[in-house]
Amino acid sequence: ETGVTQSPTHLIKTRGQQVTLRCSSQSGHNTVSWYQQALGQGPQFIFQYYREEENGRGNFPPRFSGLQFPNYSSELNVNALELDDSALYLCASRREGYQETQYFGPGTRLLVL
Amino acid sequence: DQQVKQNSPSLSVQEGRISILNCDYTNSMFDYFLWYKKYPAEGPTFLISISSIKDKNEDGRFTVFLNKSAKHLSLHIVPSQPGDSAVYFCAASGSGNTPLVFGKGTRLSVIA
């Protein structure tokens, strides 16, 4: 059983650019969530996908968007990057109905200059 | 306003002694409480959880206690080992499809 993987591991962008981050869910997991972890903070929920549809969203603007594919892998897209978007972006997967246990990937560290 | 609070940013404990990490929450709708451990350059790793219908859950050296009336939970690690040195996050969620709400974390250092 493979774990949750994310790519790339690190990324540097400039203000105004767009970025796409990728996540492969753990085998058998059909629900994926994305979190943003700023320095010194805990992870903050961005949104969740189940069966290719967004079914939950945190307090993030529409320039944060996502996709889930039939193989349950996922993308996080951020448009018009701002300096405050610099953070560690974490992807987590779980089986639907197993709310209490999510398995996290290692994250993508994004730096916006 | 933070719904899950970990008021101690750091904790230092001698190897072999007990580590106690604390967490407070404000939302009475939370049903599940979880602890995650995070090493540098890795994602958070699930450690232990507790449902709101219980007041204690034990797994080896790790025990989580829940006091619903005080909206407080704690993680006990006995005995503490140097490999336990990491950042520990407390998280909570409601029933159904609600997302995890995390605290800011507590950095535990276990000194040999």
Side-chain angles (χ1 to χ4, degrees):
Chain A
E1 188 177 78
T2 58
V4 179
T5 59
Q6 293 186 242
S7 63
T9 55
H10 296 83
L11 203 50
I12 299 175
K13 291 284 189 179
T14 56
R15 269 186 308 177
Q17 284 190 309
Q18 178 266 342
V19 69
T20 297
L21 310 181
R22 294 179 174 82
C23 170
S24 290
S25 303
Q26 184 157 323
S27 176
H29 289 187
N30 55 15
T31 301
V32 64
S33 301
W34 286 90
Y35 292 80
Q36 180 196 68
Q37 187 183 3
L39 201 60
Q41 303 293 316
Q44 275 204 304
F45 174 71
I46 302 175
F47 45 57
Q48 177 176 279
Y49 279 80
Y50 170 65
R51 292 185 176 177
E52 303 174 55
E53 293 206 0
E54 184 183 297
N55 70 345
R57 189 176 183 92
N59 190 24
F60 280 81
R63 59 189 185 83
F64 286 77
S65 63
L67 284 172
Q68 187 183 30
F69 300 100
N71 65 355
Y72 304 131
S73 66
S74 176
E75 285 183 356
L76 164 65
N77 299 289
V78 188
N79 293 323
L81 284 167
E82 300 177 359
L83 297 180
D84 283 350
D85 295 333
S86 296
L88 179 69
Y89 288 85
L90 294 161
C91 168
S93 73
R94 62 177 173 88
R95 288 194 187 101
E96 194 266 337
Y98 285 74
Q99 174 66 13
E100 66 272 20
T101 309
Q102 297 197 36
Y103 294 88
F104 283 82
T108 294
R109 187 162 295 283
L110 172 65
L111 178 61
V112 182
L113 301 175
Chain B
D1 188 30
Q2 273 210 298
Q3 297 185 70
V4 178
K5 298 179 185 179
Q6 293 176 259
N7 291 320
S8 298
S10 62
L11 176 68
S12 190
V13 172
Q14 286 286 127
E15 181 180 7
R17 305 293 291 267
I18 183 171
S19 296
I20 301 176
L21 295 93
N22 293 303
C23 177
D24 297 296
Y25 62 96
T26 57
N27 189 339
S28 56
M29 300 300 290
F30 286 144
D31 268 351
Y32 290 108
F33 303 89
L34 307 90
W35 286 93
Y36 282 83
K37 179 168 74 172
K38 188 178 184 305
Y39 293 119
E42 293 183 14
T45 303
F46 170 74
L47 197 55
I48 192 169
S49 65
I50 188 167
S51 164
S52 61
I53 62 173
K54 294 185 175 181
D55 55 17
K56 177 182 174 182
N57 189 25
E58 194 171 349
D59 183 3
R61 297 186 297 115
F62 303 92
T63 303
V64 57
F65 295 92
L66 175 62
N67 183 334
K68 282 189 68 178
S69 60
K71 293 192 176 67
H72 177 85
L73 64 154
S74 60
L75 173 68
H76 292 210
I77 306 173
V78 181
S80 302
Q81 299 173 353
D84 296 330
S85 298
V87 177
Y88 288 78
F89 289 101
C90 172
S93 74
S95 58
N97 215 22
T98 55
L100 292 175
V101 179
F102 284 84
K104 289 188 177 182
T106 295
R107 182 176 299 278
L108 174 65
S109 299
V110 180
I111 304 162

